[in-house]
Amino acid sequence: MVSKWIAVGRASALGRRPLPVTLDGLPMVLFRTPAGVRALTDRCPHRSAPLSGGRVVDGDIECPYHGWRFDGNGRCRAMPGLIGELPRAFVPSHQVLERDGLLFVTTAKDPGTPYVGALSGPGTAALRLENRVTSTLAEVAENILDATHTHFTHKGVLRGLSPRRHTVEVSVTGGDGWVEARYVGEPRQEGLVSRLLEGERADSIGRFIAPGIVELEFRGPRGPHLVTTFHLRQAEPDTVRGVAVLSGPSRLGLGYLKAALFFPLFRLAVDQDQRILSAAHRRRQQFADIRQMSGPLDIMRPHIDAILAGRRPSVADTPARHLISL
Ligand code: FES
Ligand SMILES: [Fe+2]
């Protein structure tokens, strides 16, 4: 299970103006044409100006420097001031699609369909936000899947203020390109976010799917009642960008009112993580020759690292079980 389409933003963020995005260091520009969204390399072949600084005219993108225009396939359609025949000029184009309120791009030959989350489609209410963190993808993915930090980083938001803990059984399984931890025995968390949104909790699942999907699924006796899907990408060497989608069945009333209360709290939790991750990244750079120490509670990191290195996680062949106090 590997997702070859990478979510690079919310569809609502792309209006009439071109949208610059970066994927593994490759700058792209997305823009809307009558035939749908198109993606080109964000570099004019003439004097290398970023096309995203230009505008969209009749479905073509116009370079802000000398006004060359390119269609959605990257073919040059006009060189203003030229009298006579237009020479051939191209910008590389990329596959892009709009799905479930997100914009996905890929550089893969045979990308299949994009992963839109464990809970999506009709009957689902969803909220989306974008974020950027100064860190690496492995650190951010681990952070989202790490239940132990919530007592400290998110005290009072995702967790109650009381230090009470419960014994929880964690089962870890996986396969090529993915790893998943299932938590059983955890009562509903006592922080504000959980109080607002969750009913009775049966279990929860945290999963990582290569190359950058991190998902938390909180399930009740009758299926998922809250899913957060993070689409992460290493945009630059020190920058991780992500689109987070929060979804719940609309029948359970993740309506506008609750969403309006919930959203700022979720945003707050994301900001708390961003601050600690960025501060830790700066320290890691200052102490670049000293390795970080992992502890027995860092259950997911070895598997995330293995998957990111292109290896099969050990739990694919030997599922693991841990008892922890959460
Ligand atoms: S750099 Fe784009 S038209 Fe000259
Ligand atoms: Fe967190």
Side-chain angles (χ1 to χ4, degrees):
M1 184 163 45
V2 170
S3 176
K4 292 185 181 164
W5 288 97
I6 314 287
V8 291
R10 291 165 301 159
S12 61
L14 180 58
R16 289 223 293 260
R17 299 238 293 259
L19 179 74
V21 303
T22 313
L23 181 63
D24 283 328
L26 174 67
M28 295 185 187
V29 55
L30 273 54
F31 60 104
R32 290 191 186 276
T33 75
V37 181
R38 293 291 181 267
L40 304 178
T41 296
D42 193 9
R43 173 194 169 269
C44 180
H46 180 219
R47 288 294 177 266
S48 303
L51 294 169
S52 55
R55 54 183 191 142
V56 181
V57 184
D58 301 331
D60 294 339
I61 189 160
E62 182 188 79
C63 178
Y65 196 174
H66 310 92
W68 289 17
R69 285 188 192 176
F70 302 90
D71 66 17
N73 299 317
R75 196 168 121 97
C76 185
R77 311 265 295 166
M79 293 179 181
L82 175 73
I83 297 172
E85 203 184 327
L86 190 67
R88 286 163 62 90
F90 278 96
V91 186
S93 64
H94 309 282
Q95 297 180 81
V96 56
L97 59 81
E98 192 173 344
R99 180 73 54 85
D100 246 52
L102 300 178
L103 298 163
F104 292 86
V105 298
T106 186
T107 51
K109 279 233 168 53
D110 189 12
T113 52
Y115 185 82
V116 291
L119 201 60
S120 60
T124 305
L127 290 163
R128 300 167 188 89
L129 71 87
E130 290 177 43
N131 200 27
R132 101 177 245 300
V133 189
T134 305
S135 193
T136 63
L137 198 140
E139 294 287 339
V140 180
E142 174 187 49
N143 165 266
I144 297 167
L145 294 173
D146 165 31
T148 65
H149 82 288
T150 57
H151 285 287
F152 298 91
T153 309
H154 306 300
K155 198 170 183 176
V157 175
L158 299 180
R159 288 279 175 183
L161 292 166
S162 93
R164 194 151 30 101
R165 289 179 180 249
H166 308 268
T167 300
V168 171
E169 184 184 335
V170 191
S171 312
V172 190
T173 54
D176 284 321
W178 66 278
V179 59
E180 181 174 290
R182 180 161 176 254
Y183 294 78
V184 184
E186 196 184 12
R188 189 182 74 166
Q189 292 182 3
E190 287 156 15
L192 284 169
V193 166
S194 308
R195 281 177 192 228
L196 279 172
L197 272 172
E198 290 187 57
E200 198 178 331
R201 186 187 296 179
D203 62 1
S204 57
I205 292 173
R207 64 173 65 91
F208 176 75
I209 303 171
I213 291 171
V214 185
E215 191 160 63
L216 302 173
E217 202 178 309
F218 303 100
R219 290 140 49 109
R222 274 174 292 129
H225 46 214
L226 175 64
V227 175
T228 61
T229 311
F230 296 80
H231 301 264
L232 307 175
R233 66 188 196 281
Q234 192 82 51
E236 316 278 352
D238 290 315
T239 305
V240 175
R241 289 185 180 273
V243 192
V245 183
L246 313 166
S247 34
S250 34
R251 70 178 159 80
L252 289 181
L254 179 67
Y256 289 111
L257 184 61
K258 274 195 167 181
L261 287 170
F262 177 63
F263 205 51
L265 290 173
F266 182 74
R267 177 102 239 177
L268 176 64
V270 168
D271 288 346
Q272 290 171 329
D273 281 328
Q274 182 186 330
R275 271 197 300 278
I276 194 77
L277 283 167
S278 300
H281 188 73
R282 280 193 297 277
R283 280 294 180 271
R284 207 161 27 247
Q285 289 176 317
Q286 287 175 288
F287 293 86
D289 48 349
I290 302 181
R291 279 175 58 123
Q292 305 190 111
M293 177 190 164
S294 281
L297 291 172
D298 300 318
I299 294 170
M300 295 295 267
R301 185 59 179 270
H303 307 305
I304 295 170
D305 286 344
I307 291 166
L308 288 175
R311 297 195 310 269
R312 198 170 146 82
S314 64
V315 285
D317 304 307
T318 321
R321 183 177 160 274
H322 309 262
L323 280 182
I324 64 173
S325 179
L326 207 55

